[in-house]
Structure formats: structure tokens, C-alpha cells
Amino acid sequence: MKPSERRKARRLAIQALYQWQVTQDNVADIAQQFALEQDTKGVDLDYFRDLLFGVSVHVNELDAVYSPYLSRPLADLDLVDKAVLRLASYELTRREDVPYRVVINEAIELAKAFAAEESHRFVNGVLDKVTKQLKK
């Protein structure tokens, strides 16, 4: 496992999760579409699939992990921010092999790349509170 391959898997997963949130298409179809249409060179495809399927299967549990720390209703959350928070919450709760600092840093970078200008600060604040709660 190379960190760069996982980073690329996260970037692809955020895009696929966004598509899933918008279209509500079957996750398996989205995964197949991404595998065929996206540049997957240097991507940890197993990790991509784990993130995509894991988030979609556990979406309600993941929303319950971070939603207590939102400053607005979950329904009002931007879809990119929601995808980033769901992915990070999945990694924090289901991927014990990934250090929480890596999860938060990667989530911030994803927010900077795909979300609104100040979203990375919002994501950082929410995930900081999630991490403190999970450590208890």
C-alpha cells in the first residue's frame, strides 16, 4: 500500500460518492463506470471500492457520527461537504489501519480540491470534534 495510491482512491471515491448522492444510482454501477471511464493508474482500486461501498452501506450510521457537530441541519449540508464527511467518518470508524491524523488531513485536502473555498475549515472543525468523541 502506497499513500499516493490511497490518496488517489479517496479522490476518486469523493467523485463517485458525489455522483451517488446526486443520482441515487446503484453504487455497483457507479463503481464500474468509474473503473472504465476514469484514469485509474496508480489508484488503490480495492480501497476505492471499500470506501464507496462502505459509505453507501453505512450512510445512516456515518451521518449519525458527524451530524451532532454540524452548525446547520444535515439536509442543508453541501453535497461535497457531506461526501467528504461521510468518507472521513467511514475511515475513522471502520478503517482502524488509517491513523486519524491522516484521515483528517486527507479530508481537508479533498475539501480544498472539490468543495467551496472555506469548506476545508468547516470539515476540519467537524472532524476534530468527531475524533475527540471517538477517542473517549
Side-chain angles (χ1 to χ4, degrees), residues 47-110:
Y47 202 67
F48 162 75
R49 284 187 205 91
D50 180 58
L51 295 173
L52 179 58
F53 286 96
V55 168
S56 68
V57 167
H58 300 287
V59 67
N60 293 330
E61 295 167 40
L62 299 173
D63 287 349
V65 168
Y66 69 84
S67 61
Y69 309 108
L70 297 177
S71 56
R72 56 190 171 268
L74 180 62
D76 294 345
L77 196 60
D78 177 81
L79 289 179
V80 176
D81 291 343
K82 193 179 287 188
V84 171
L85 289 170
R86 285 173 168 171
L87 186 142
S89 295
Y90 177 78
E91 286 189 292
L92 288 170
T93 59
R94 304 258 173 189
R95 295 298 307 220
E96 294 178 8
D97 59 315
V98 183
Y100 77 91
R101 286 189 173 110
V102 170
V103 173
I104 293 173
N105 184 60
E106 291 292 319
I108 290 168
E109 293 304 315
L110 289 167

